[in-house]
Amino acid sequence: MEAKKLKLALSSDPVWWLNYAIGFEVGRMEGMAEAAIHLMKARFGGMPDSLRQRVMRLTCLQVEELSEVLLDFESAADLRRWLREQAGKN
């Protein structure tokens, strides 16, 4: 299929666009979580894998909230406390 026809086919396929949007959002969320983890590793000198996994399971909204409060954390204990609070909200 020539490029012009392929572009037209993709642009009119709602399933393709839905999959694209979902993939884009998942990638955005994972990137935000990884950035938060990177900042916490830099701030606390490391991060246990168990905490990393918990951060990676957060919703997009929770990761956004975490990015706002993580600079106020003084230790990994603050992160653990915040994660427990988030689990209590569900």
Side-chain angles (χ1 to χ4, degrees):
M1 185 181 288
E2 59 185 73
K4 191 173 185 178
K5 288 181 183 176
L6 178 61
K7 185 177 179 181
L8 179 60
L10 292 177
S11 66
S12 63
D13 182 359
V15 174
W16 184 88
W17 281 111
L18 178 61
N19 288 331
Y20 176 83
I22 290 169
F24 182 84
E25 188 61 25
V26 168
R28 185 176 84 85
M29 187 172 70
E30 288 175 353
M32 290 173 55
E34 288 291 347
I37 289 166
H38 177 76
L39 290 171
M40 288 181 281
K41 282 181 177 179
R43 182 165 177 121
F44 307 137
M47 184 176 193
D49 194 48
S50 60
L51 283 179
R52 183 188 179 286
Q53 290 173 7
R54 289 172 66 187
V55 170
M56 291 302 293
R57 288 192 303 258
L58 295 173
T59 67
C60 194
L61 181 59
Q62 288 172 318
V63 172
E64 287 175 1
E65 290 175 11
L66 176 60
S67 69
E68 292 175 9
V69 299
L70 71 86
L71 296 177
D72 296 329
F73 293 168
E74 295 181 13
S75 69
D78 293 328
L79 173 60
R80 285 186 189 90
R81 187 175 314 104
W82 186 87
L83 289 167
R84 277 194 306 272
E85 291 170 2
Q86 295 306 303
K89 290 181 181 179
N90 294 334

